Amino acid sequence: MSKNAVLVVGDKKVELPILEGTEGEVAVDISRLRQQTGLITYDPSLGNTGICKSEITFIDGEKGILRYRGIPIEDFTDKPNFVEVAWLLIFGRLPNKSELAEFSALLTDNELLHEGLRHQYQHIPVDAPPMAILSATLSNLACFHQQLLARQDPESLAGAAARLISKVRTIAAFSYRRSQGLPFIYPDPGMRYCANYLHMMFSIPHRQYLVSPEVEDALNLVFILHADHEQNCSTTTVRAVGSAGANLFASCAAGVSALWGPLHGGANVEVVQMLERIHGGGMSAADCVQAAQDKNHPFRLFGFGHRVYKNYDPRAKILKEACDRVLTTLEYSDPLLDIARRLEELALKDPYFIERKLYPNVDFYSGVLLRAMRIPTNMFTVCFAIGRLPGWIAQWKELHEDPQRRILRPRQIYTGRAETRYVRMADRQG
Ligand code: ACO
């Protein structure tokens, strides 16, 4: 392929460099286009725009491929270890034994919340959405760890990352306990990452919740499958906030807010509510598939479709298999799993979905799996956020290491009124 693309604008001809990624993906570099021609590009929602070069995650949406630092996502499913994947994403390679042990110890050292933060829960309404609590509390970490805000050295980054990855479980579990009127359970330094989260969620003072290996593995798997997904909406938000020089806590808190949306991470809640509605007789699976096609109807088939995947989302494939396996092992029968399978079958046969290449995405089966672990529906997107934190941190770190970094600042095509003069109140008509 030629190294330049040629653009002809009137009688002017400009050469635009073509960049090529490791996997052969090509892009036209238009970063000097305005300087050369006065033109900007128009790409609402940035569906066709690369906003950075990244070495973290590779997706081939046509083939249904997802790799972290080059490693296929399927390789992490055998003995899933979320902490190891977090390290891989952030630091760029698999950790050795002592690096992993050191990082795990750092997470343990940082698992408690400052008592000031803990007291804040008393002032939050008991029915507050856990994603609102999560975003606010991650942002609040900046008040309690100010020594990490200004410095940009690797040690401060590692310290802020460890605080976020570790404390997010405590913050999440406390929000659930508050909503249930249950006492907070402090983290147990002897427990592994996922087991500790389940302990804080479900133990009671006189009865420790015993975490089964199947559930611990399944939670590790869920977190791993959500750990990064290149330049999605919440990650782009984290990069945008970070590009202004804002600290890691503030940037990740903004990521949580973006993730909350039902078109993004919030879709896992919508999926289960949709399946429950079908189960309750409110609508049939066929009704859902039909309603999703009606452009005058706000309803969408949640858990279906993706900006990048035009094939089966590999994460959904793994989660579907995990649902079958885990529900059988736990002897947990969930009618919603059968409904989800039926809904998928109907949609995948429907010309609307076939023509548009709409397949199940990560959110379609994750809720059914989380339900089997007794995670309540309003905590699903929080679990997504816990999983996604290492990805946000890795992307934020990469942004700061990029010598070409500039504040993220897109342009627009102004379509409002041409210049018009201010009219004093007394002179206005009507
Ligand atoms: N139900 C019905 N129609 C859909 C759906 C859906 N779930 N998804 C896409 N479409 C339609 C669009 O309306 C569009 O139709 P048109 O060509 O007639 O106008 C066509 O399919 C193509 O849509 P895309 O351009 O591929 O969609 P886009 O990239 O803008 O949006 C999104 C992607 C937001 C994920 C969308 O598929 C959607 O809303 N899905 C449901 C919500 C969901 O599951 N979100 C989670 C995504 S994964 C994640 O964020 C973790």
Side-chain angles (χ1 to χ4, degrees), residues 308-326:
V308 181
Y309 291 118
K310 302 301 164 199
N311 201 328
Y312 214 109
D313 180 335
R315 303 167 299 175
K317 201 180 281 176
I318 295 169
L319 284 169
K320 186 181 180 185
E321 285 163 15
C323 277
D324 288 336
R325 195 177 58 247
V326 174

Side-chain angles (χ1 to χ4, degrees), residues 256-271:
V256 171
S257 298
L259 189 73
W260 191 2
L263 296 185
H264 191 16
N268 54 15
V269 172
E270 302 287 337
V271 170

Side-chain angles (χ1 to χ4, degrees), residues 45 47 226 229 232-234 259 261-268 270-271 288-289 291-295 299-310 313 315 352-353 355-364 384 388:
S45 80
H226 290 88
H229 213 235
N232 58 82
C233 178
S234 54
L259 189 73
L263 296 185
H264 191 16
N268 54 15
E270 302 287 337
V271 170
C288 280
V289 172
Q293 305 180 24
D294 182 352
K295 299 289 178 198
F299 182 81
R300 306 204 122 197
L301 192 58
F302 284 96
F304 258 74
H306 199 275
R307 174 62 58 83
V308 181
Y309 291 118
K310 302 301 164 199
D313 180 335
R315 303 167 299 175
Y352 175 94
F353 290 85
E355 280 159 23
R356 289 168 179 75
K357 299 187 177 158
L358 302 173
Y359 290 86
N361 60 47
V362 68
D363 293 316
F364 197 66
F384 191 150
R388 183 53 58 88

